[in-house]
Amino acid sequence: GQNIDQPTEMTATEGAIVQINCTYQTSGFNGLFWYQQHAGEAPTFLSYNVLDGLEEKGRFSSFLSRSKGYSYLLLKELQMKDSASYLCAVIDAAGGSQGNLIFGKGTKLSVKP
Amino acid sequence: DGGITQSPKYLFRKEGQNVTLSCEQNLNHDAMYWYRQDPGQGLRLIYYSQIVNDFQKGDIAEGYSVSREKKESFPLTVTSAQKNPTAFYLCASSTGPPWAQFFGPGTRLTVL
C-alpha cells in the first residue's frame, strides 16, 4: 500500500529550530518533495530529495533515508512568516504513472513570539 | 513571466449546475494535474494528463470531467453528479524528471 505519515500540528518559538518528520511506504520510490502552504493559498515547492542525505537551502534543509522510508524538513531561525502547513509528497513510481505525487496530510506549524 | 493561472479565484454556483474551472500554464510543461483540498485533508488527485489529448482518472474522478486539447490548458468541469463539490481546487503542472509540481493559485468553489 501507499501511505505517508506526518504530525498533524507542531508549535515552535520564533528564532528556534524545528524538525518536521515524514515517514512513507510506497510501492516504488523516485523522490520526495516538501511543500509549504500558507492558509488559503496554494502549495509552493521547497525541496526535492532523491538520494540519501541532507539538502540545504538557506534556512531550510531536507533529509532523506530511503532504507528507513524517512525524511525530515529542518527549519532554522524560525520567523513568524514560517507559520504554515508543510506537505511531504512522494513520487508514485507504480503503474506507469510517472510524475504523480502522493501527498501527506500536512503538518501545521505555528510559530509563536 | 512563466507560471500557472487559475480563474476565477472564488466561484459560487447553485446546486445542480455544472461549472468549469480554468487552468492555463506557459511553462511548457507536458503534465498537468487537478487536485481537491478539503479542510484538514491532504491533496487528493482528481485527474491528470501527461500529454495533449490524453488524460487519466485520479483517486476521486467521479463527478468530474477534463479535457486537454492544448498543452497550455487543462480545464476541469465539476458536474452536478459530484455530491460534495464545495472545496479548494488546485491545478498543477510538471516536467521531469524530477517531476516537481508547480501549483496555480487555486479556485475556491462554493455550491449553495
Side-chain angles (χ1 to χ4, degrees), chain B residues 54-108:
Chain B
D54 186 52
F55 49 83
Q56 306 295 330
K57 292 182 179 180
D59 300 319
I60 55 165
E62 185 176 350
Y64 299 97
S65 65
V66 293
S67 63
R68 186 85 188 278
E69 297 176 2
K70 298 187 299 181
K71 188 175 186 177
E72 302 79 18
S73 179
F74 192 40
L76 173 75
T77 297
V78 184
T79 75
S80 57
Q82 167 51 232
K83 295 179 181 178
N84 188 17
T86 294
F88 187 41
Y89 290 88
L90 289 158
C91 178
S93 70
S94 73
T95 192
W99 300 103
Q101 292 187 15
F102 296 91
F103 288 83
T107 293
R108 194 167 296 278

Side-chain angles (χ1 to χ4, degrees), chain B residues 23-44:
Chain B
C23 178
E24 304 278 333
Q25 56 98 0
N26 60 6
L27 300 168
N28 200 33
H29 285 174
D30 289 314
M32 297 187 74
Y33 310 82
W34 274 106
Y35 293 92
R36 169 184 174 138
Q37 189 174 39
D38 296 282
Q41 299 292 320
L43 298 176
R44 292 187 289 169

Side-chain angles (χ1 to χ4, degrees), chain A:
Chain A
Q2 299 166 333
N3 192 46
I4 297 181
D5 286 317
Q6 32 179 149
T8 303
E9 294 185 34
M10 297 182 72
T11 302
T13 304
E14 191 175 14
I17 299 173
V18 70
Q19 178 175 311
I20 302 174
N21 295 326
C22 170
T23 58
Y24 63 88
Q25 294 172 312
T26 58
S27 52
F29 179 82
N30 271 352
L32 184 143
F33 296 89
W34 283 96
Y35 285 84
Q36 181 190 59
Q37 186 177 24
H38 285 100
E41 298 181 7
T44 55
F45 170 77
L46 287 178
S47 68
Y48 169 67
N49 294 69
V50 66
L51 300 176
D52 291 352
L54 189 68
E55 294 282 341
E56 297 187 76
K57 192 183 294 185
R59 293 189 299 116
F60 293 6
S61 302
S62 56
F63 171 84
L64 175 67
S65 169
R66 289 173 295 171
S67 62
K68 296 181 179 178
Y70 168 69
S71 173
Y72 67 73
L73 180 69
L74 193 71
L75 289 74
K76 302 176 184 176
E77 301 170 16
L78 279 172
Q79 303 176 8
M80 299 299 291
K81 67 178 182 180
D82 297 330
S83 292
S85 288
Y86 291 87
L87 312 180
C88 175
V90 175
I91 296 179
D92 177 7
S97 56
Q98 73 174 359
N100 284 11
L101 298 184
I102 305 167
F103 283 87
K105 293 185 177 181
T107 298
K108 184 177 180 181
L109 174 66
S110 298
V111 180
K112 300 190 181 302

